Amino acid sequence: MALDPKSAAVDVVQEAAISKAPTNENSPRPRWEKVQEVIWDGGRRTKEERKLIQKLDWYIMSWATFGYFVRLLDSSNITNAYVSGMKEDLHFHGREYNLLSTYFTCGYLVGQIPSQFLLTRVRPSLYLPIVELLWCIMTFCFAAVPNVKTVFALRFLLGMLESPFAVGVLTLMGSWYTPRELSKRIAIFYSASYAASMFSGYLQAGIYRGMNGTAGLAGWRWLFIFCGVISIWGPLWGFFAIPDNPHSTKARWMRPEERELHIARMSKIERRKPVPLTWAKVRKIMTHWPIYVFTFTLINHCVVTQPLNYFSVWLKSLDRFSVYQINLFPTAGQAVGLVFTLGYAWVSDGIGKRWQVLVVPAILNFVGMVTVASQPGYGATFFGYLINAASWGFWPVLYAWAIEIMHDDMEERAIVIGVAQTFGQAFIAWVPLLILDVGKYAPKFHLGFSVMSGLSVLEFGSIFLIRFTAKREEAAKKALGDTSGVEEVPPVLSKFEVI
């Protein structure tokens, strides 16, 4: 039988770029090689593979990070707009500030799970940019809102249109990146939220000073116009940059031989080709532990990372700061969150540990929650709000761990991440109304922050719940392999042990 020259060429390239490494994986590594592993995808990989991933980063990470930046810019803008004149102009009363988040979250919940099912059927390179474009249009509409009811309606629609994005990006990353690459990328993606919040504070402060009243528009209305102008570039780039998954990509920037290399990389870590989602598959996912344990963990995390949303309200109640300062001070929390989130991810990927790293933000969260709940004084309370932001880096490492645990099942990864994200958002839709009612509990929010201190303990405990269930399942699989007489295959994710 004649040898296919094209297949032979691809095999040669794969061998050179993917498998060209020391034959003994357990041989001692030079110290600099270990340092490279921590800094950025160093270690035992070829120059060809590094270039392959750099090109992938240029397209996926640029689109994903910019898209998340503009989405979180809007979320921050609504808070900044509220304290910069929107409250007085549109006559907000009582708990209506809380409803801004509630309506958005309700829209997010309505769109989240259907979007995850659509992502298993429709090409992400079409679906995600189209939704982004509609989201941009909604953002422009905020500049013309006449009353509070219109704001609520737009917040609901905006939540629906945002729901596919973050989970879609995580699903996309899980299809292209290996364990030693994943946590850093998720952290960079997530860190766009801090950059957005910081930028929104500076943007609103600048607009309020320079454009308030220009063309008869209040400064907070100009904020949404600028946000719309900034965000329009995301979907335009997305139509070109999004590569779907290695087995079905039609990305114009990826050569056929590069596609084969990516398939080979995913095959080495047992990330198989996607298959259509069936009801039998859904039943299998619903009877497997990850959907429940990761959902429980994310619910706790979403609730206990809410305090910074009320930092501006507390600052305004002190009656000692200008509007400019109220918009500016919370950016310090975003800066803390940015540094710590990147730090957790880099260390986690570098040393190959997940649960051990997750313990750190969980402890910091508890310290911050107890501090803002007790409010011993101005300085300590200010510190409590800021240190809470140091715990936000919990979920990028958590999601990297989830993707690795479910590495051989793309559909389960997509559904579990979607359901966990949905329930996390569902709880922050009603919990703030119940225990963080601005009209009733501001500015100290003692009841809410006390309850959240207890939930912080549950977040800490959930780390060990995941570790226990993952170890138990791994032991069961090993025992099954031993009893079947099949030679044991070394774990694909042996570097990221749960012990």
Side-chain angles (χ1 to χ4, degrees), residues 71-323:
R71 272 150 193 75
L72 272 297
L73 181 63
D74 169 76
S75 297
S76 301
N77 281 348
I78 200 70
T79 299
N80 290 327
Y82 180 84
V83 299
S84 301
M86 186 173 75
K87 174 185 177 182
E88 292 77 13
D89 290 351
L90 300 185
H91 308 294
F92 276 79
H93 300 289
R95 61 163 42 179
E96 287 179 335
Y97 173 79
N98 298 83
L99 291 175
L100 289 173
S101 176
T102 300
Y103 275 98
F104 176 88
T105 306
C106 288
Y108 195 94
L109 296 177
V110 169
Q112 179 72 90
I113 293 178
S115 289
Q116 281 303 94
F117 279 93
L118 282 172
L119 279 171
T120 66
R121 298 282 182 175
V122 182
R123 302 181 73 87
S125 56
L126 294 176
Y127 178 61
L128 293 176
I130 288 173
V131 173
E132 278 189 287
L133 188 60
L134 294 173
W135 184 92
C136 293
I137 295 172
M138 292 296 105
T139 301
F140 278 115
C141 291
F142 270 93
V145 289
N147 51 51
V148 174
K149 290 183 179 179
T150 306
V151 174
F152 290 157
L154 288 177
R155 290 291 289 173
F156 180 86
L157 293 175
L158 210 63
M160 282 188 65
L161 294 172
E162 186 171 323
S163 62
F165 187 79
V167 181
V169 169
L170 293 174
T171 303
L172 196 67
M173 287 184 178
S175 299
W176 291 94
Y177 291 110
T178 64
R180 65 178 174 179
E181 302 158 353
L182 193 57
S183 184
K184 290 190 289 289
R185 267 78 179 183
I186 296 177
I188 291 172
F189 166 67
Y190 185 49
S191 294
S193 64
Y194 311 130
S197 297
M198 292 168 65
F199 181 71
S200 178
Y202 299 132
L203 184 64
Q204 179 61 46
I207 288 176
Y208 189 84
R209 279 189 169 184
M211 298 199 68
N212 189 36
T214 302
L217 295 178
W220 63 267
R221 294 185 186 272
W222 278 109
L223 182 64
F224 290 109
I225 294 174
F226 273 82
C227 184
V229 171
I230 293 169
S231 63
I232 193 66
W233 305 104
L236 300 181
W237 178 234
F239 281 115
F240 179 77
I242 301 173
D244 297 321
N245 71 73
H247 298 276
S248 65
T249 183
K250 293 183 180 179
R252 292 185 290 273
W253 50 267
M254 187 178 296
R255 299 194 303 269
E257 59 270 26
E258 292 174 335
R259 176 175 176 266
E260 295 299 325
L261 291 174
H262 283 295
I263 292 174
R265 274 167 39 86
M266 294 299 103
S267 296
K268 287 187 70 175
I269 57 171
E270 297 183 4
R271 294 213 185 133
R272 58 164 176 76
K273 181 179 181 179
V275 297
L277 192 64
T278 63
W279 285 113
K281 183 71 173 181
V282 171
R283 284 194 296 271
K284 179 177 178 292
I285 293 170
M286 295 303 296
T287 55
H288 196 202
W289 67 267
I291 196 167
Y292 302 103
V293 178
F294 281 107
T295 298
F296 173 75
T297 305
L298 198 68
I299 286 172
N300 288 311
H301 178 67
C302 285
V303 174
V304 300
T305 51
Q306 291 301 299
L308 206 67
N309 292 335
Y310 298 86
F311 192 22
S312 296
V313 176
W314 176 70
L315 289 171
K316 188 172 184 177
S317 72
L318 299 176
D319 200 25
R320 59 192 290 184
F321 302 114
S322 66
V323 170

